[in-house]
């Protein structure tokens, strides 16, 4: 009984600590200082492996705020365990969908951070040519992925898909007779 009460006391403490970091990271004026601090970033990385899903989600929100500051991205990407922990959250079967999306978004931001800073012009041109290769309709390796997400009517998600200029989104709704029908809503912008 005594050990279970100590466990009960640890989770709210972890949650309150990570929530405080998240709230501090929400203020753009704090973001560089948090990343430069010796303990905050490693602590947030450890929180990504916490067994309590709200702790993980709150840590990811804090990291997402921190990644909004371009000056933080290289340090965050190079921080021991950052990219690996993000991958673990994304691949873990018990991770809630919204948390996986958040981790994936952070991973992508950090992964592309060196490209945004213009490290190598020729490398950027090479990647651009490869991306254009996939835009053609004759690509035999192209895949169609269909996601059925019940109850999702978020136009922000559709806008994010449209902004890729490579994918399209179609909303599928149930008609009055119960049949699935594509809504007149297509976001192909290529």
């Amino acid at each position: 009984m005594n050990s279970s009460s100590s466990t009960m006391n640890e989770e709210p403490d972890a949650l309150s600590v990570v929530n405080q970091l998240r709230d501090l990271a929400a203020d753009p004026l704090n973001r560089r200082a948090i990343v430069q601090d010796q303990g905050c970033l490693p602590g947030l990385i450890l929180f990504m492996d916490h067994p309590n899903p709200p702790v993980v989600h709150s840590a990811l929100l804090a990291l997402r705020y921190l990644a909004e500051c371009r000056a933080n991205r290289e340090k965050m990407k190079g921080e021991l365990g950052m990219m690996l922990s993000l991958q673990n959250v994304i691949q873990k079967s018990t991770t809630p969908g919204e948390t996986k999306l958040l981790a994936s978004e952070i991973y992508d931001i950090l992964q592309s951070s060196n490209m945004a800073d213009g490290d190598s012009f020729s490398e950027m041109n090479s990647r651009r040519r490869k991306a254009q290769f996939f835009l053609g309709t004759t690509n035999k390796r192209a895949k169609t992925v269909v996601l059925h997400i019940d109850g999702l009517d978020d136009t922000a998600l559709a806008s994010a898909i449209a902004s890729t200029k490579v994918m399209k989104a179609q909303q599928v709704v149930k008609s009055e007779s119960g049949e699935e029908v594509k809504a007149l809503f297509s976001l192909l912008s290529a």
Side-chain angles (χ1 to χ4, degrees):
M1 184 98 185
N2 206 5
S3 65
S4 67
S5 65
S6 69
T7 305
M8 293 291 287
N9 289 337
E10 287 174 28
E11 286 186 0
D13 286 344
L15 189 57
S16 65
V17 169
V18 79
N19 283 343
Q20 286 177 346
L21 277 171
R22 179 202 62 209
D23 294 344
L24 286 169
D27 183 348
L29 298 175
N30 294 332
R31 292 177 185 162
R32 289 190 77 168
I34 291 171
V35 169
Q36 297 304 319
D37 183 83
Q38 297 294 315
C40 291
L41 207 50
L44 287 169
I45 293 169
L46 289 174
F47 282 132
M48 281 194 280
D49 293 325
H50 199 276
N52 187 2
V55 171
V56 175
H57 190 77
S58 195
L60 288 169
L61 285 172
L63 289 168
R64 177 62 180 91
Y65 285 132
L66 296 174
E68 285 180 17
C69 177
R70 275 185 201 272
N72 288 342
R73 293 177 186 170
E74 279 303 312
K75 179 160 178 41
M76 289 176 70
K77 181 180 177 183
E79 189 71 31
L80 184 64
M82 174 68 76
M83 302 307 276
L84 185 62
S85 291
L86 286 169
Q87 285 178 321
N88 288 342
V89 170
I90 294 165
Q91 294 170 354
K92 198 177 202 181
S93 62
T94 57
T95 303
E98 187 180 341
T99 303
K100 281 186 184 195
L101 284 174
L102 188 56
S104 188
E105 183 181 353
I106 297 164
Y107 185 88
D108 290 344
I109 289 169
L110 298 181
Q111 196 64 30
S112 64
S113 67
N114 59 352
M115 291 306 293
D117 297 338
D119 266 5
S120 164
F121 185 73
S122 62
E123 185 181 338
M124 194 163 61
N125 277 342
S126 165
R127 288 190 184 192
R128 189 174 293 144
R129 279 194 300 274
K130 287 178 186 172
Q132 288 174 344
F133 172 77
F134 287 104
L135 291 176
T137 56
T138 59
N139 184 359
K140 302 224 182 319
R141 292 189 291 182
K143 294 181 181 175
T144 300
V145 178
V146 178
L147 302 174
H148 291 275
I149 306 171
D150 289 334
L152 181 70
D153 58 359
D154 185 3
T155 55
L157 179 61
S159 299
I161 292 170
S163 72
T164 66
K165 298 186 183 346
V166 183
M167 296 184 282
K168 68 178 181 178
Q170 293 179 324
Q171 185 177 13
V172 178
V173 295
K174 293 215 183 219
S175 67
E176 292 173 6
S177 63
E179 294 179 40
E180 289 186 349
V181 182
K182 288 181 187 174
L184 297 175
F185 174 68
S186 182
L187 295 171
L188 183 60
S189 52

